[in-house]
Amino acid sequence: METAARILSLLRREPVVSGAALAAALGVSRAAVWKHIEALRADGYRIEARRARGYALTGGPDRLLPAEITRHLTTARFGRHLESFETIDSTNIHAARLAREGAPEGTLVLAERQTHGRGRLGRSWVSPARVNLYASFVLRPHLSPVDAPQLALAAAVAVVRALSPLAPGRVAIKWPNDCLLDGKKVAGILTEMDAEVDRVRAVVLGIGVNLNAPSRAFPIELRATATSVLLATGTSVDRPQFTARLCATLEAVYDRVVRDGFAVVASEWESYSCLTGRRVTIDCSGRRSAGTVRGIDPSGRLVLDGAAGEERIMAGDVSIVDGYQGLGRQARRSDA
Ligand code: BTN
C-alpha cells in the first residue's frame, strides 16, 4: 500500500492520530507525513489538525479515486485493476485500448466526465462532471461472438441489483438493456466487441449510471425521459461505494452467465422487465416489427406476438405504443 493510503487507513481506525504516531508507523519523518496530509487535502479529504493531539479524518472526497473505491471492493477481479480519469473522451475507447494491450479481465476504467460519451445506436451519452458513474470493464469471455450480446442483458441484471437498495422495487429493464427508475432512463449499457469469426478476444462493457445529476445537467429535450437516483429519490449516492457494489454484482452475474449460459439469469431479467404484455414497435436496423411482448427466450431474444405470428428479435430499438406512463416492472421481486 502506498504511504497516502496507509495514512488514510490509520486515520480511519482512530478519531485522532498524532503526527509522531503516523511517522513511526510508516517509518518516515513528521515532515513527510505533513506533506502527504497536504496532498490528501488537495484530493478532497477533510483532515483537521487538532492542537497538541494530531490529525482527524472528518470527511472523504466525493470523487472516484482508486483508493476510495478499492476500500469498498469485495471482488476477486472486477475493479482490481483500475484507472480513473478526471476527463476522458470515452471510457469505452480507453478500455478498448487497454484490452488490445493485454489488460486482464475485470480491468475498470472510470472518468468523472466524458467529452465524447458513446451511447447505443450511434447516439451520444450525456456525461456531466463529478455527479454520475461512467465505467468501462474489460471482459475476456469464453463465448462465441454470436452469444456476446447476452453479456449486455446480463449486465442490466447486475445494474438493477446494484441500484435496487437505493430505490427498492422501482428499477426496471427495457429490452435489451436500458435501466429505468420510475419509468425514466437512469442507466445505459454499451458493449463493444473485438472478435475473430469464432472467438471473442475482448468485450468492453460500458455502463453509465445517472447517480447525483441535478435536472439542469440534462439537456432540456432529455428531462422528460431521463432521471438520476438523486432526482428520483431525493438522496445522493456515495459514488465510490456504488461503484464497488456494481463491481460485485457484475462479477457475480458475469461469472454465472459465462459458466452456465444466459438462461440462468433470464427469469431474473424477466422479473425486472417493463415490456412484458406491452404493445411495441421495434426498429431493427431499418426493418420494423410490431406486436405484443411475450418475454425473452433463454438466449436473450425478445419474443413478440406479431400480426404474422411469433417473432424472436436479436437487437433493435423499442418504442412502446401506449407511451411510457406507469412504466414499471411487470412482476415484483423480493427486493421490493
Ligand atoms: C445507451 O445508449 O443506453 C448506452 C450508454 C452507455 C454509456 C456508457 S458511459 C461509460 C461508457 N463510455 C461510453 O462512452 N459509453 C459508456
Side-chain angles (χ1 to χ4, degrees):
M1 212 192 291
E2 61 175 65
T3 311
R6 289 172 66 200
I7 290 179
L8 283 173
S9 109
L10 291 165
L11 290 177
R12 282 194 180 104
R13 271 187 235 156
E14 308 278 343
V16 186
V17 187
S18 73
L22 287 172
L26 300 168
V28 299
S29 67
R30 287 181 65 171
V33 167
W34 182 80
K35 269 196 180 160
H36 284 294
I37 298 273
E38 284 300 294
L40 286 167
R41 285 178 175 149
D43 272 345
Y45 291 95
R46 285 199 301 281
I47 301 173
E48 290 174 12
R50 305 261 164 92
R51 246 157 69 90
R53 293 175 59 209
Y55 297 105
L57 179 65
T58 58
D62 177 25
R63 299 270 296 284
L64 296 172
L65 301 169
E68 285 301 296
I69 293 160
T70 307
R71 76 191 183 92
H72 295 294
L73 271 185
T74 56
T75 51
R77 292 157 9 259
F78 281 49
R80 292 288 168 187
H81 286 80
L82 163 51
E83 291 192 14
S84 180
F85 296 84
E86 182 59 37
T87 300
I88 202 167
D89 47 2
S90 153
T91 54
N92 264 32
I93 294 176
H94 188 68
R97 196 177 301 131
L98 295 182
R100 283 194 299 275
E101 290 166 2
E105 177 155 274
T107 295
L108 170 58
V109 178
L110 296 171
E112 291 285 6
R113 166 175 173 259
Q114 298 184 114
T115 54
H116 292 85
R118 304 211 289 223
R120 287 179 64 234
L121 308 166
R123 298 182 184 129
S124 58
W125 185 254
V126 175
S127 308
R130 295 193 176 180
V131 283
N132 292 333
L133 177 66
Y134 315 117
S136 298
F137 293 86
V138 173
L139 306 178
R140 299 194 179 279
H142 296 288
L143 277 184
S144 152
V146 292
D147 291 330
Q150 295 171 3
L151 293 177
L153 298 177
V157 169
V159 172
V160 176
R161 285 191 193 174
L163 281 170
S164 284
L166 305 171
R170 292 162 62 185
V171 188
I173 302 175
K174 177 171 164 259
W175 184 87
N177 45 41
D178 284 351
C179 297
L180 310 183
L181 174 49
D182 298 343
K184 292 183 172 189
K185 185 146 168 175
V186 70
I189 295 166
L190 175 68
T191 48
E192 297 180 286
M193 179 167 58
D194 175 12
E196 293 163 19
V197 176
D198 56 353
R199 188 180 76 94
V200 174
R201 269 195 287 262
V203 169
V204 169
L205 171 65
I207 303 179
V209 190
N210 299 329
L211 293 174
N212 296 328
S215 139
R216 66 174 183 282
F218 296 104
I220 287 169
E221 64 276 14
L222 286 186
R223 287 185 195 163
T225 54
T227 193
S228 69
V229 174
L230 175 64
L231 281 171
T233 67
T235 305
S236 68
V237 181
D238 180 323
R239 294 185 304 139
Q241 201 176 5
F242 179 82
T243 307
R245 185 160 72 233
L246 180 62
C247 287
T249 59
L250 260 177
E251 187 172 274
V253 172
Y254 173 80
D255 283 351
R256 277 208 79 195
V257 166
V258 169
R259 194 182 60 223
D260 301 326
F262 176 74
V264 294
V265 293
S267 68
E268 182 176 354
W269 188 101
E270 276 213 65
S271 73
Y272 300 142
S273 172
C274 63
L275 290 184
T276 310
R278 293 277 185 151
R279 289 199 304 128
V280 298
T281 58
I282 306 184
D283 182 346
C284 320
S285 312
R287 199 179 66 79
R288 254 166 76 92
S289 293
T292 302
V293 174
R294 287 289 156 243
I296 51 167
D297 71 10
S299 59
R301 291 177 301 178
L302 193 73
V303 182
L304 204 64
D305 259 349
E310 187 186 282
E311 248 191 284
R312 292 180 180 228
I313 297 170
M314 263 322 280
D317 197 21
V318 179
S319 302
I320 301 171
V321 173
D322 310 320
Y324 284 68
Q325 277 75 33
L327 204 58
R329 298 178 192 175
Q330 304 303 300
R332 300 264 161 188
R333 282 182 66 83
S334 52
D335 70 337

